[in-house]
Every structure is written in C-alpha cells, then in structure tokens.
Amino acid sequence: MQPDTRTRPLQERDITLLWALRSPCSFGCPHCYFGELADDKIGPPKEVGLLSHIPVRDVERAELEAFARTLADSPVERVVLAGGEPLDWLPTLSVIKTIKEAGCEVVIATNGVPLTRPGIARTLVELGIDGVSVSLDSADAAVNDRLRPSRSGRAGHREVLAGIRTLLDERGQGPGPRVGIYTVVIRARPQEITNVARLAAEIGVDYYVPQPISLPPGHKLFTERCHTAADAPAVEQELLRLEQDPGGLTLPGPTYVRQFLDSIATQDSGRVERCFGGAQLFFVQPDGTVWDCPSDRRIAATPPSARRTIVGADAKTLFDGRPACTDCSHFSRDCVNMTPLVLGMPSFLGRVGS
Ligand SMILES: C[S@@+](CC[C@H](N)C(=O)[O-])C[C@H]1O[C@@H](n2cnc3c(N)ncnc32)[C@H](O)[C@@H]1O
C-alpha cells in the first residue's frame, strides 16, 4: 500500500506533541532513554538525536514559552510533557498554563515524587491539566527502587505512591486530571504487568500502561532486560490476564496486546503502514529539535534536511503540510510505547468510551 501523502487540512487539530521539556531528572534509571549521567561525565553525546540528562543544550525558558504560545491556532491537540523530569523545573507550571491557554490538552509524564512537594499537585489541578502519567516499574518497593533508583537514594516507591495519593486527594470529586501508571516491563518480571495493575486499581488510578523495555542491542542491559521471542508466552499470559480483569482501569486499545507481542518477538525492524509518526505525532527534544517520533531507528534514518526546531518557530507553520500518515519501515518496541500516547489517550482522558 502506498503512503497517504495527501496533506491534512490545517484546521484539523489532531497532533500529539511529545515534548521532552528538560533533560535533568532526580532519578538515575539505568535503562533510561536519556542514558546515565556517569556515562556523560565528559559531556553530553555529540550524535544528533541522542539524549542526555546534562542540560547544556536545553532551550531557554523564554524561547520555549514563545513556541508554546504559538500552539493556539495550530493543529496540535495535545501536548505530553516529559523529559527528564518536567516537574523538577518550576517554570514547567507556567508552560502548562500557556499550553492550556492555547487550547491544547496537557498530559505530564512524571516520576511522581514532585507530586509530594507542597502545592504541586494542587497547582496541577488548578491549571486544569488533563492527565498525569506516573512511572512505577514494580509493585514491590525494593524491586522498583532497584529498577528506578533515585540519585539521592532518598526517594522511591513510597514517595511515588504518596505523590499519586496526594494528587488523587487534591482532585477529590473534581473532573481532572486523570491519573495513570506506566510500567516498563523487563524480561525477568512479566508478573509486574498484573501486579502493578492490581496496585494501581487499589490506589484508585484511572489508566494503566505496561510498556516493553526498549534498548539498543549495544546497551549494557540489553541481554539482561530486553525480551526475546522466548519471553513472549509469559508476557502474553500476563497481558491477557490484565485484559480479562482490568480492575476498573482503562487500558490501551484492543490491538495493543498483539502489537506488544509482535514487538518483543524480534529485533528486526518491521513495516508500519499508515504510521502516525510525522502525521499525528511529533517529538520535541530538550534542545528544541523536532522529530517525527522518538524511535531511535526513525531518528537515525531522518535526513539532515528534514531536521527542524521549535526555536523561533511557530507551531502552525511547523506542522503545515504534514501528511495524513506516513509509511515507516522501523517498527520496534518504541512504536508500542507511542501507541498509548496517541491512540490510547482519548480513552485515558475520558474523552471516549473505553
Ligand atoms: C524518560 S521518562 C520521563 C518522564 C519522567 N521523568 C518519568 O520518570 O516518567 C518517560 C517514560 O519513559 C520510560 N522509559 C525510559 N527509558 C525507557 C526504555 N529504555 N524503554 C522503555 N521505556 C523507557 C520511563 O519509565 C517513563 O515511563
């Protein structure tokens, strides 16, 4: 099938912008897309597209606020703020206000600990933020804190749960935000898929996303953590158990289980017909670079002529001429991690029946 190269009418508002706002994070997860601080001691990686927790190239606040203002009157429907840790940088609250005023939905991806700080959860509720996705990789505190260690050693599972509870309390009977948990699933612990779901349901969380760990083959944790085809049956069993008994949680759509299993069965790239990357999804790095999606394979295949930036740009012009969909030959675990952001979010946020 040929890609649909017709461009979208400008007035259609259907883009999800995944915006990694800042580089630093108080957690030092060894599997993180941003790499480990210790590895970047001599400076952030020089390769285009590679991320680092060292913020030397992060866009100035005034520049990113200027871009955020241009989201009004643009085809961007939803902005998912991530990083790094977006809530460790106080101006993020002002950026959220600007994006809301531009008429976009705002979802924030956080390690959860900032939600325990005085006033943060309350302010998010007051700003009308639409969704808060909190990362938690195990229902077991010790396991989670080994997989997701804070750099100070002083925050972990307990604080993450306290942060979620603070936010749910602040929301009270109000309409929002919807609150979700994201779990990175590793090959040794398929049981976390249903264990974390049970915990999420007990706490009163609204949506839940188990996602496959995605690491390049050269990564030091690749063999230990990344699934192979042999791991698929155990993962399938857990995903199907979750689907049969979601415990009131909203889950990613019906095709998610198959997509998850397809992705972990191989390291080869596959073809994605009618891909939303570069059509309804774009990724902005902390240095302002705009990509079709965060897939390392797709970034590596992007010609220099196609690189763009939010610095000095306006969103209407930036996304003018985007196609209705793209034809991508880089299917990988990264695609699975993007599907809930684009296709799952309307039901996570209660915009459609789940
Ligand atoms: C990079 S974090 C940034 C937002 C925030 N600091 C947090 O901890 O959620 C965004 C999400 O990416 C996930 N993630 C990081 N590295 C990953 C990897 N190699 N494979 C799959 N997911 C990953 C994290 O667990 C988290 O849910």
Side-chain angles (χ1 to χ4, degrees), residues 18 20 22 24-27 29-35 51 53 81-88 108-112 133-137 148 181-185 209 211-216 219 226 333-334 337-338:
L18 173 59
R22 304 317 276 173
C25 183
S26 60
F27 277 53
C29 310
H31 63 276
C32 185
Y33 295 124
F34 275 67
L51 296 159
H53 285 304
L81 296 172
E85 175 49 54
L87 289 176
D88 279 346
I108 199 154
T110 174
N111 63 41
S133 302
V134 181
S135 300
L136 189 76
D137 288 355
R148 295 185 53 83
I181 289 183
Y182 271 66
T183 296
V184 170
V185 182
V209 180
Q211 49 179 176
I213 192 163
S214 170
L215 297 171
H219 194 284
C226 261
R333 296 152 212 234
D334 289 337
N337 294 337
M338 288 306 105

Side-chain angles (χ1 to χ4, degrees), residues 161-180:
L161 294 193
I164 296 172
R165 289 191 168 108
T166 304
L167 182 61
L168 290 170
D169 284 351
E170 289 292 356
R171 177 180 78 179
Q173 298 307 310
R178 294 288 177 119
V179 182

Side-chain angles (χ1 to χ4, degrees), residues 10 12 49 65 73 76 92 102 110 142 157 174 184 211 226-227 270 274 309 316 337 346-347:
L10 246 184
E12 200 169 337
E65 285 269 15
D73 198 28
V76 176
T92 295
T110 174
H157 196 270
V184 170
Q211 49 179 176
C226 261
H227 301 90
R274 306 191 61 79
T309 177
K316 189 172 173 182
N337 294 337
S347 46

Side-chain angles (χ1 to χ4, degrees), residues 191-253:
Q191 69 271 35
E192 298 299 354
I193 293 170
T194 48
N195 287 354
V196 179
R198 205 172 311 119
L199 175 62
E202 275 165 27
I203 306 171
V205 157
D206 306 297
Y207 59 92
Y208 175 59
V209 180
Q211 49 179 176
I213 192 163
S214 170
L215 297 171
H219 194 284
K220 65 182 179 201
L221 293 172
F222 178 78
T223 309
E224 179 197 314
R225 303 251 171 115
C226 261
H227 301 90
T228 67
D231 303 308
V235 172
E236 179 171 22
Q237 195 182 343
E238 290 292 316
L239 288 172
L240 293 179
R241 274 180 63 199
L242 175 64
E243 215 177 43
Q244 278 152 19
D245 181 15
L249 298 162
T250 302
L251 304 175

Side-chain angles (χ1 to χ4, degrees), residues 271-327:
R271 181 139 177 266
V272 187
E273 282 177 8
R274 306 191 61 79
C275 176
F276 50 63
Q280 287 97 51
L281 173 72
F282 291 87
F283 173 52
V284 181
Q285 291 187 327
D287 69 358
T289 314
V290 181
W291 305 97
D292 284 354
C293 87
S295 153
D296 55 358
R297 298 180 192 194
R298 185 136 169 189
I299 286 178
T302 304
S305 59
R307 282 182 211 145
R308 296 178 298 161
T309 177
I310 62 163
V311 178
D314 77 87
K316 189 172 173 182
T317 312
L318 198 60
F319 301 117
D320 190 15
R322 75 205 154 99
C325 63
T326 57
D327 185 13

